[in-house]
Amino acid sequence: MHPRRILERYGIAPKQSLGQNFLYDEGLLARIVAEAGLSPDDTVLEIGPGLGALTRQLALVAGRVVAVELDDRLLPVLRYELEPFANIEIVHGDILAFDPAAWFDGPFVVVANVPYYITGAILRHLLDGRPRPRRLVLTVQREVADRLVARPPDMSLPAVSVQYYGSARVVTSVKAGAFWPRPEVDSAVIRVDVEERFWEEGREEREKGGKGEEAFFRVVRAGFGEKRKQLKNNLRRLGLSDEAIAAALEAAGIDGRRRAETVSVEEWEKLVSSLGS
Ligand code: SAM
């Protein structure tokens, strides 16, 4: 059913402030679910189930779906529309306050048509959390999708932050007309496959023999410190001597005159290890 008709039936107006643009293209919903590659062994976290269109499709293939919705007006809709599915749990709350450890024993899959105003915060919250998702299939603003899957020389802190954990790619483009109400921007579905070493707590730290991601992001954040500045200058924020920075850059095979946007995740990893962080 068209989202407008469902909302009319319940006397609810969509809230732009909560990023409420509902997907109603069945083909696209099927594509998103297929991309998640789910089986009955999988647990899915859906962010912002809205009227439940995607939730229903997920519940048909996954073993368990936990759907976190902030807008209390939508809870009666979700409870009624999804009542036949015993494997869906609807949670009322803010995804940014959601603690995966309280709900999941191990890696889970995230599938969502995300509220665009908090895309970056959602990614940080889930990738920083424990347990971690093993895969994310997210509908996001097209511009954000392109930014997250960018390669050198167009890297950014968000791109490194996602690509550090795994591979990211755009699965398909989504025209604004696939949603109701129609958003002002086009969208895209991205898929992030998180590397297995990040699924298990502490494993990446053991494998890297260091402080792992904490050290990595300290260096990357310093490197991106000031736009258009050369790497060797931005890295001074680490509080090391110019000589130590120059030696680490050289050991990693990185020219210190380069800008952070040109550095690949693999090069950042080499730099972090030669800094001995
Ligand atoms: N999944 C539905 C679909 O595809 O049609 C709705 C997607 S809509 C773009 C985003 C949904 O996220 C809305 O239902 C909105 O109420 C919900 N939402 C917004 N902020 C949220 C938050 N902080 N935590 C959880 N859900 C949120």
Side-chain angles (χ1 to χ4, degrees), residues 145-212:
D146 290 340
R147 203 166 148 74
L148 293 176
V149 306
R151 313 295 307 166
D154 297 313
M155 296 300 280
S156 59
L157 190 52
V160 178
S161 306
V162 166
Q163 294 175 33
Y164 172 71
Y165 294 103
S167 63
R169 63 183 175 86
V170 171
V171 169
T172 186
S173 304
V174 184
K175 287 281 165 217
F179 301 89
W180 189 86
R182 199 188 160 100
E184 274 165 18
V185 292
D186 282 336
S187 301
V189 179
I190 61 162
R191 170 171 159 176
V192 180
D193 288 301
V194 176
E195 282 174 37
E196 210 172 327
R197 66 185 159 118
F198 292 111
W199 298 358
E200 190 194 320
E201 173 138 34
R203 180 160 152 203
E204 81 267 25
E205 280 83 355
R206 286 201 301 278
E207 284 181 11
K208 282 168 186 256
K211 279 179 241 107

Side-chain angles (χ1 to χ4, degrees), residues 3 15 17-24 29 32 46-55 68-74 78 91 93-97 111-118 122 139 179-180:
K15 264 193 197 162
S17 62
L18 288 182
Q20 290 180 350
N21 302 98
F22 302 101
L23 261 185
Y24 67 99
L29 290 170
I32 292 170
E46 189 194 2
I47 303 156
L51 303 174
L54 182 56
T55 326
V68 181
E69 175 57 60
L70 181 62
D71 188 350
D72 54 1
R73 302 172 312 157
L74 300 178
L78 288 166
V91 181
D94 181 349
I95 189 62
L96 300 179
V111 183
N113 170 18
V114 302
Y116 291 172
Y117 72 107
I118 46 170
I122 289 174
T139 308
F179 301 89
W180 189 86

